[in-house]
Every structure is written in C-alpha cells, then in structure tokens.
Amino acid sequence: MNGIAADARNADSAANACGTVEVTNVDDTTAGVAGSRQAAAPERKVVNLALQGGGSHGAFTWGVLDRLLEEERLTFEGVTATSAGAVNAVVLADGLAAGGRKAARNALRIYWQKVSALASRGIFRPSPFDKANPDYGLEHSPGYLFMESMTYFASPYQMNPFNYNPLKDLLAEAINFERVRRQQVVKLFICATSVQTAKVKVFAGKELDVAHVLASTCLPLMMHAVEVDGEYFWDGSYAGNPAIFPLVYECEASDIIMVHITPAERPGVPTASPSIMNRMQEIAFNTALIREMRTIAYLNRLVDAGRTDGPRRLLIHVIEAEDLIRKLSWSSRLNGDWDFLMHLHEMGRARANDWLAANFDRIGVESTVDLQTKYF
C-alpha cells in the first residue's frame, strides 16, 4: 500500500484514472441449508465508506458509524477518510480488530468521551451562555475569543513555539496503532495535504502511526505542520475531503457510502469577516470532492453507454448532514462539550437509520444520490 502514499497523486488525475479498475461483483448473497428445508440467511452487502472531516462535527459521523455497525447485513471493505473522519476510521478499524462490531462501537464512544474530557480542560471550553445557545457556538468563550483574535496577528509557530499538541497524546492513548497496522478487517486510506506540493497524500493502513493521523487533522492556523518522512502536511480536507480514488484502485466493492458533513451549499453571501473565512474554508474543503464526483458521473455514463469495458460502475450513496451543520455556528467545530457531541451523535444515528430503512435494498443495485444534480 506504500505506493499509494508515495505517488501522492492529486485528486483530479486520480479520479480520471478510474477506468483502470476491473468489474467485480461484490454482493454477497448467501443461503443457509438445513436438510430438505432451506432457510435464507440475511442478505449481506459489502460497501466502502468515505468520511469527511469537520472537527467536533465528526461526532455526527460517529453516530452514523454506530448505527451502521448495528446493521449485521452490512460489511465494510475499505474506508477513505480525512481529519476527524480519519480519526473515526482508525478508531473503527482498531475496535473491529480488537473484538468486532461491539468493540468498535465501544471504542468510538470511549474516544469521543476522551475528546470531551480533554476539551473540558482546554482553552475552548464553552461558557454558560454558549451552552444555552442552540447553535452551539463559542462566541462567548473567553479562550476562543482570544485565540480567534490572535490568529490574525500570530501564527501557531509564534503562539506555540514548543509545538504542544494534546491531540497527539490522546491518539496514542485511545488507539493501538500496532493493531491497526496488523489488522486485515478493513482497508484504511487516510488523506493529508502536502504543504509543499498541494497534492493529496494517502496513507494506507499498514503504515499508520500517530503522526499520519495528526497530519490528516492539522489545521494550519492552529497547529504546526506535521512532518512525516521528511515531508510536511496540513489537514487532508484541502486536497481530498476525502479522496475517493483509493476506493477505486484498491477495493472491489462498487458501493460507496459517504458521510457528508461539510456544507457545499450555503444560501446568501457572507459579509462579516469570520463568516467569510468560514465560507472560504467550506468551499476549499469541498472542491476536490466535487471534481472527483463529476469524474465518477462521467465514467458511469460511459459504462452505461457501453463505450468502455474498463471501469465498473460506481454506486454512490450519501448520508447527509449539510442541512444540520448549516444551522450551527461555524465555531461549533471547536466545541467539545459532551452534550453537544451527543447531540451530533444522535443526529448521525437517526440519519443513518432513516437512510438504511429507505435505501438498503438499493445497495449493489443503483446509486441513491443523483450525481448530476448534487455535483454539477
């Protein structure tokens, strides 16, 4: 898998190479036989997952995964993920390797509990006014207001010269990276952005360590760039949120379930400086994904028209949080309050449950999102 990371292909060229993958039927429909009476076992379907970043909003993805793990008819082949999505993906793989679905659900809950405990001692603690605010922002948090103002005048290299990053210790404590590297339950692809080349870098599961996950989560106005093998990285969302091409190159399953939490659409034009910066980031975090999805839509049309015998048809599904996230303050991405995280978790579970009820039978048959409408 090192070849994926070593190549550091950008999202456009990678997506355009989708046609190199052979057609593979991955639906696993089995029937149990008991003497003369055959009882059909539950239909099991294999999917890939694509998990976006979004800071604390990643708790929504935790809720989605929590519900998907309950669904015995569903199995995962590969997971591509960025930033908070990358952390969820690695914790998921660690839990699955340690003890299956139940252990994975427990590992995710423990991780997010640790996030909340860390946040309760950190500078971004919400004030009582913030906790009463339905948009869960931090606009009344003294620590947040101080740090927000300082980012206009000083870089993290000046404000944090010794590069203290509490997330580093949290990841090392919560995740058994040796087990993650050894596990063969699910294929992992963790995305980061090269500071010096602007290309997406995809780290495969067999090479993952704390530094690789930190690289995927590195917000450049808050953290030092993360060095991995002599190269420096920022948050993967800039170049792939997440990158889809690893699921095309390295996996056989045709179905991709994406958990979309970074709003691509936001009505109106921002006029205040913070809202302008927030919208700039949302656009940057969606651009590469939109381009890849357009390429997938084009290749699917070629397959449908019989004009190519190379690629398989990719079936895209989206569990959506855009409408929910748009109602939240942009600063809520830094809010680690447990009540807020549980609110996001429950919304994620509910959205996943509704999606499964409406669309499970369509997995392996057709896309449940209109790519032309959503990404063009």
Side-chain angles (χ1 to χ4, degrees), residues 60-207:
F60 176 92
T61 302
W62 163 36
V64 171
L65 294 175
D66 195 42
R67 177 62 186 91
L68 295 182
L69 285 165
E70 288 181 343
E71 189 57 62
E72 295 287 346
R73 300 173 298 170
L74 206 61
T75 59
F76 314 128
E77 181 185 4
V79 184
T80 182
T82 292
S83 198
V87 179
N88 276 321
V90 175
V91 174
L92 169 70
D94 188 27
L96 287 172
R101 293 170 181 264
K102 185 175 181 180
R105 293 181 64 202
N106 189 51
L108 285 163
R109 174 172 286 272
I110 290 174
Y111 170 75
W112 284 100
Q113 286 173 335
K114 290 180 180 294
V115 168
S116 180
L118 182 64
S120 70
R121 305 188 298 270
I123 194 170
F124 296 126
R125 292 188 303 274
S127 71
F129 296 103
D130 294 320
K131 291 184 178 183
N133 195 328
D135 69 6
Y136 295 96
L138 296 174
E139 283 74 13
H140 298 92
S141 166
Y144 169 76
L145 292 172
F146 171 76
M147 291 299 294
E148 181 192 29
S149 62
M150 288 300 295
T151 57
Y152 290 96
F153 305 104
S155 80
Y157 297 87
Q158 296 166 316
M159 292 190 293
N160 183 16
F162 297 106
N163 195 19
Y164 170 69
N165 189 342
L167 181 59
K168 181 178 181 180
D169 293 334
L170 174 59
L171 291 173
E173 176 186 348
I175 300 168
N176 184 331
F177 279 93
E178 181 179 354
R179 182 164 56 213
V180 170
R181 290 190 294 270
R182 291 198 316 263
Q183 65 86 26
Q184 297 181 354
V185 180
V186 64
K187 300 173 184 176
L188 287 178
F189 310 100
I190 303 305
C191 308
T193 302
S194 171
V195 177
Q196 294 155 301
T197 69
K199 296 178 181 179
V200 64
K201 185 90 164 184
V202 179
F203 301 112
K206 292 183 179 179
E207 61 182 319

Side-chain angles (χ1 to χ4, degrees), residues 4 19 216 222 371:
I4 301 173
S216 184
M222 299 180 63
L371 297 181

Side-chain angles (χ1 to χ4, degrees), residues 352-363:
N353 189 67
D354 291 345
W355 188 89
L356 287 168
N359 298 299
F360 181 83
D361 291 340
R362 299 169 68 186
I363 297 174

